[in-house]
Amino acid sequence: MRIILLGAPGVGKGTQAKLISEHYKIPHISTGDILRGNINKRTSLGLKAKSYIEKGELVPDDLVVSIVKDRLEKEDCKAGFVLDGFPRNLYQAKTLSEILKENKCMIDKVILIDVNKAEILERISGRRFCRNCGANYHIKFNPSKLNDRCEKCGEQLLQREDDSKDVVLERLSVYSRTINPLANYYSAHGLLTKIQGNEGIENTFNRICSTLQSVYSLLV
Ligand SMILES: [Zn+2]
């Protein structure tokens, strides 16, 4: 089963993608994780990507497409995958369709998770992480028992530069400019389903599952 998750930054695509990945036993492909991994290792790709991300801009299409193409050609993607953070615009979507066509396969379902802007801002700007052990927190929804220090290792908690309020607002405005053509494209192919993401992780996941179940039963 080949799935794309769409939605603004902060709607919980990563969390839902992880749950889908476990439930349907398909790899979770997050372009954000792949990019962050390269940034932490200071690869040339990472350094290139970093300069864009810090400004709240998107990483150039060709850079992202080549990363995704590489990943999709790995053996574990044969039975399917869930894409999170890609495609972000119409060009990337069309390129993805071509890449899949070359491999004689196609996307089975595109899910758009919808959450209002005020809630997105609260979710993202409250995120904190530990640079030392990688633990994640949220000042409201998942606070550390040690306030601004990591529960696991005591290190001072930090906010990612791309999670600051100004950067988030810039990312949301870029998102709202690009999502409609993308949603229309998949809708025209009969692949798009919109899911409300305001009511917690579990409710959202249940809604996604009932949508995917009908796709899944056609495939097996
Ligand atoms: Zn820690």
Side-chain angles (χ1 to χ4, degrees):
M1 187 153 56
R2 298 175 184 86
I3 303 158
I4 293 173
L5 281 189
L6 298 178
V11 298
K13 288 192 298 291
T15 305
Q16 296 298 333
K18 215 169 279 172
L19 292 170
I20 293 169
S21 161
E22 284 161 13
H23 190 80
Y24 290 100
K25 311 227 171 347
I26 48 178
H28 168 199
I29 299 173
S30 157
T31 43
D33 284 351
I34 298 175
L35 286 171
R36 269 195 287 276
N38 278 282
I39 289 170
N40 290 339
K41 286 182 205 141
R42 298 184 158 274
T43 66
S44 66
L45 168 70
L47 293 174
K48 240 188 257 175
K50 192 178 181 206
S51 63
Y52 296 96
I53 292 171
E54 277 176 351
K55 283 180 279 184
E57 289 170 14
L58 296 176
V59 177
D61 287 337
D62 291 334
L63 199 61
V64 182
V65 167
S66 65
I67 291 172
V68 173
K69 186 170 188 288
D70 240 40
R71 182 65 188 86
L72 293 183
E73 281 164 358
K74 299 250 158 71
E75 192 63 30
D76 63 340
C77 291
K78 287 257 154 67
F81 50 79
V82 49
L83 270 174
D84 153 25
F86 182 92
R88 290 218 202 217
N89 56 43
L90 197 54
Y91 171 79
Q92 291 184 359
K94 288 181 173 170
T95 312
L96 175 64
S97 298
E98 281 162 26
I99 291 170
L100 293 176
K101 215 187 236 170
E102 278 169 28
N103 296 309
K104 299 194 170 49
C105 53
M106 58 177 286
I107 294 297
D108 298 303
K109 192 71 188 169
V110 179
I111 288 176
L112 172 60
I113 306 176
D114 208 20
V115 175
N116 70 55
K117 190 172 162 183
E119 189 170 332
I120 289 173
L121 259 182
E122 183 180 40
R123 286 188 193 180
I124 300 188
S125 57
R127 286 180 191 162
R128 297 293 181 270
F129 78 107
C130 172
R131 191 170 43 187
N132 184 45
C133 74
N136 290 298
Y137 300 90
H138 191 286
I139 54 173
K140 185 173 172 193
F141 303 119
N142 178 28
S144 165
K145 292 189 185 86
L146 301 176
N147 299 317
D148 60 345
R149 302 216 156 253
C150 179
E151 279 174 21
K152 289 170 190 157
C153 70
E155 181 78 22
Q156 175 87 41
L157 295 177
L158 300 171
Q159 183 180 47
R160 287 200 171 87
E161 279 172 71
D162 51 326
D163 285 348
S164 71
K165 194 175 169 192
D166 287 346
V167 176
V168 174
L169 284 173
E170 172 59 22
R171 285 161 72 197
L172 285 177
S173 100
V174 170
Y175 169 79
S176 59
R177 282 200 299 272
T178 52
I179 190 61
N180 282 338
L182 197 53
N184 291 342
Y185 174 75
Y186 286 121
S187 182
H189 286 78
L191 294 173
L192 189 78
T193 300
K194 226 185 222 188
I195 303 252
Q196 264 309 320
N198 283 322
E199 289 164 37
I201 292 170
E202 211 175 275
N203 281 325
T204 307
F205 182 58
N206 287 339
R207 285 182 187 163
I208 291 175
C209 276
S210 53
T211 297
L212 290 182
Q213 210 50 47
S214 56
V215 178
Y216 191 63
S217 57
L218 291 176
L219 291 175
V220 290

